[in-house]
Amino acid sequence: MNKKPKKKKNRKILQNWQLYIFILPAFLYFFIFHYIPMYGIQIAFKDFVPSLGIWGSEWVGFEHFTRFFESYYFWDLLKNTLGISVYELIVGFPLPIILALALNEVKDGLYKRTVQTVTYAPHFISVVVMAGMIIAFLSPATGIVNHFLVLLGFDPIPFMSDPDWFKTVYVFSGVWQSTGWGTIIYLAALSGVDPQHHEAAIVDGATRLQRIWHINIPTLVPTMVILLIMNVGNLLAMGFEKILLLQNPLNLESSNVIATFVYQAGLLDAQYSFAAAVGLFNAIINAILLITVNQIAKKRSETSLW
Amino acid sequence: MNSAINETGVDKFMKIFIYIFLTFALLIVLYPLIYIISASVSDPAAVNSGEMWLLPKGFTLEGYKMILENDEIWRGYLNTIFYTALGTLINLAVTIPAAYALSRKDLTGRNFFMGMFVLTMFFSGGLIPTYLVVKSLGLIDTIWAMVLPNAAAVWNIVIARVFFQVTVPKELEEAAIIDGCSNFKMFMKIILPLSAPIIAVMALFYGVGHWNSYFNALIYISDKDLFPLQLVLREILVLQEMSSQSTNLTGNMAEALHSKQQLAAIIKYGVMIVSTLPVIIVYPFLQRYFVKGVMIGSLKG
């Protein structure tokens, strides 16, 4: 390619100029709404004054970062952010795999389709409605969950105002909403298993469980690794919209995460530079996690994002 | 294929276990959905006191009547329909041509464009710098703030590109070029007629996204006349519940809040259904397209 004379390359570009028109809107979109904001990150190192603009504002170096690291809420924010994400990863990651493996064993088409259709459905519920459902179902006085608890002889639990419950509520509502949808990609991978493997295994006297363990699960490993890398890379950014909706002054001590803090400080309190610095800190940690996990995966399983 | 072979006891047990597990999953997901439907047509008192478990008690359409009479919900609904239609149109106009161009091996610089797009999946300016760009473009409190900042999604461009790579035969393109067909003409006359499935998938992905999105509106829109449905819902379903816990409200605000709470208590389950209705109606018909879209995307990252 590189050795091709320049003239020929230029002619090819000219010949296909219309293709560049096709790509132009997308190019402009990513340039304006993604790359200009990247340029804007520098306000994290400046004292941004809107009237002076990004360029004209004064450099202050790492002042905003230092202020964030030294603040009394820093460790709480980090603890909540990581706590919620890791909790979600541990509970939420294996479930779609288990459900997909189970669905794959069912030969009855109608039953399989019913389970799939129903478990996919919550994926399409908006995050606002989801938050509304959580709040309505978990209400101490009127929610159905607490009516059940009382029926079983327990005391009602004020889920939304008790900080100890926030993470569990967040994680399990997410499991309810997205486990079914998460099976799709694993089911697609499982449909690629050669039936001859199973036939041979059956002839050799393998039980169903052994076949799942020795044939199906190894098939899923590359998909699992890719999804795991992606999830870990997003560890600090997960589910921010739902957290924002479920947050209230009473559960703040366990629900305040970096992303909601950026929203609060930046958009509500208009501390643009400080919030941008906190956001950048978050993004850098994400990038480091992504790269690290990708490297580990590459070494261990030869599957990686790049 | 394995029915001819006798199943051992272990296998039978495993099979039963799998069926129990799946039925459990089914019921866990289904119960809240049925509960919401029942609660929306039940006597609110029966719902709140816990007398209604599964099927409606004290049937009433009062909640729906109030929803229909509520101007805010109507306006939100209309706004959302508008944002969804306009937004999806823009999404398609950006995604489909770009994906097609990227699927062409003879596009010089395709790796550069692809790299530029994909990089944004892993690194972004973040909330505040993005907000400042939208603000400096003068989009705050305009309909454009609802559609332009999400004009395309990288993942969807990738899915559409793979679709074009897989479905459009290279020979067809080459033959058309030899016959002197321009790229514009090829796109309009050959590619678009072949793209109905991918356009459907993309329209659905983007459409549902616009229908359900609230965060853009939350940060960019403060004019109530421009509120999409999800922001109206947020006020009804989420805010009233939370502010009831704060005590330092002025008399006027507290009164307005009180009437809103009364309203919310009656209509909360109804609005969940009304707002999700379009997606629910479309969903059964288009489920396979959704699934197909995800699968196309998973073929190749």
Side-chain angles (χ1 to χ4, degrees), chain B residues 166-210:
Chain B
V166 173
T167 53
V168 180
K170 283 286 144 273
E171 295 77 17
L172 191 64
E173 286 173 349
E174 281 161 16
I177 289 173
I178 290 169
D179 285 347
C181 180
S182 73
N183 282 317
F184 274 144
K185 212 165 164 190
M186 173 136 66
F187 186 70
M188 301 307 284
K189 292 265 157 73
I190 300 174
I191 304 302
L192 277 186
L194 286 173
S195 336
I198 195 66
I199 291 178
V201 169
M202 292 291 112
L204 287 165
F205 278 0
Y206 283 125
V208 171
H210 284 294

Side-chain angles (χ1 to χ4, degrees), chain B residues 32 74 87 91 93 193 278:
Chain B
W74 270 112
N91 290 143

Side-chain angles (χ1 to χ4, degrees), chain B residues 18 49 63 87 104 140 151 154 170 178 182 206 212 263 285 287:
Chain B
I18 285 171
S49 63
R104 287 272 298 262
I140 301 287
V154 184
K170 283 286 144 273
I178 290 169
S182 73
Y206 283 125
N212 284 341
L263 184 72
F285 298 102
Q287 189 200 353

Side-chain angles (χ1 to χ4, degrees), chain B residues 114-133:
Chain B
M114 211 48 219
M116 173 188 169
F117 297 171
V118 169
L119 180 71
T120 63
M121 280 174 94
F122 301 110
F123 195 72
S124 76
L127 182 64
I128 305 302
T130 308
Y131 173 82
L132 291 176
V133 167

Side-chain angles (χ1 to χ4, degrees), chain A:
Chain A
M1 269 305 265
N2 287 335
K3 280 181 186 157
K4 229 181 231 177
K6 222 177 176 174
K7 238 184 192 168
K8 204 168 165 191
K9 205 172 171 184
N10 283 340
R11 210 179 59 204
K12 215 169 86 185
I13 293 178
L14 276 180
Q15 218 171 34
N16 282 327
W17 64 273
Q18 288 168 334
L19 290 182
Y20 293 93
I21 307 251
F22 289 162
I23 217 167
L24 185 68
F27 177 81
L28 286 177
Y29 163 70
F30 284 103
F31 185 77
I32 295 172
F33 290 101
H34 292 270
Y35 283 86
I36 296 182
M38 287 186 203
Y39 165 82
I41 288 176
Q42 56 175 293
I43 65 166
F45 305 96
K46 290 185 164 190
D47 250 339
F48 179 65
V49 183
S51 61
L52 295 176
I54 291 175
W55 194 242
S57 297
E58 193 190 339
W59 288 97
V60 294
F62 287 90
E63 191 184 282
H64 300 298
F65 291 88
T66 322
R67 187 179 138 208
F68 178 56
F69 297 146
E70 284 170 357
S71 65
Y72 66 93
Y73 42 72
F74 173 73
W75 289 107
D76 272 352
L77 283 179
L78 201 62
K79 202 179 76 195
N80 286 337
T81 312
L82 280 173
I84 290 175
S85 313
V86 171
Y87 191 173
E88 183 171 49
L89 199 62
I90 291 172
V91 177
F93 187 76
L95 279 173
I97 302 172
I98 296 169
L99 187 59
L101 287 170
L103 276 169
N104 193 52
E105 294 300 310
V106 175
K107 296 289 174 280
D108 174 0
L110 182 67
Y111 186 71
K112 187 174 175 177
R113 263 205 312 280
T114 310
V115 175
Q116 282 184 283
T117 306
V118 170
T119 53
Y120 290 169
H123 173 77
F124 297 100
I125 294 174
S126 78
V127 63
V128 177
V129 169
M130 192 64 213
M133 283 169 62
I134 295 169
I135 293 168
F137 287 161
L138 297 182
S139 156
T142 61
I144 184 72
V145 173
N146 274 312
H147 288 314
F148 267 116
L149 286 178
V150 171
L151 198 72
L152 296 174
F154 296 100
D155 284 332
I157 301 173
F159 291 99
M160 296 316 294
S161 49
D162 181 350
D164 290 341
W165 275 98
F166 184 84
K167 293 182 174 76
T168 300
V169 166
Y170 173 83
V171 168
F172 281 89
S173 60
V175 163
W176 182 82
Q177 185 166 24
S178 56
T179 298
W181 188 251
T183 60
I184 290 180
I185 197 160
Y186 293 112
L187 283 171
L190 283 173
S191 69
V193 176
D194 187 347
Q196 286 183 357
H197 287 310
H198 282 287
E199 281 162 23
I202 292 167
V203 171
D204 286 346
T207 64
R208 195 182 280 270
L209 190 62
Q210 282 170 326
R211 281 184 286 125
I212 292 174
W213 187 256
H214 293 290
I215 303 175
N216 289 345
I217 290 183
T219 311
L220 293 183
V221 165
T223 313
M224 280 156 56
V225 172
I226 294 286
L227 290 183
L228 189 66
I229 297 171
M230 305 258 285
N231 283 351
V232 171
N234 279 324
L235 211 51
L236 299 187
M238 255 188 237
F240 147 64
E241 295 195 358
K242 201 171 87 188
I243 295 180
L244 195 62
L245 288 167
L246 293 177
Q247 211 167 52
N248 65 44
L250 297 170
N251 64 28
L252 204 61
E253 98 181 52
S254 71
S255 69
N256 210 11
V257 296
I258 297 178
T260 55
F261 179 77
V262 171
Y263 168 75
Q264 173 73 35
L267 297 182
L268 301 185
D269 303 342
Q271 305 178 53
Y272 293 130
S273 282
F274 178 60
V278 178
L280 181 58
F281 166 73
N282 199 356
I284 290 171
I285 304 272
N286 270 336
I288 293 173
L289 280 173
L290 183 70
I291 294 166
T292 315
V293 176
N294 192 54
Q295 289 303 327
I296 296 172
K298 215 173 184 169
K299 276 218 180 91
R300 279 295 180 81
S301 67
E302 289 168 1
T303 310
S304 66
L305 277 185
W306 62 83

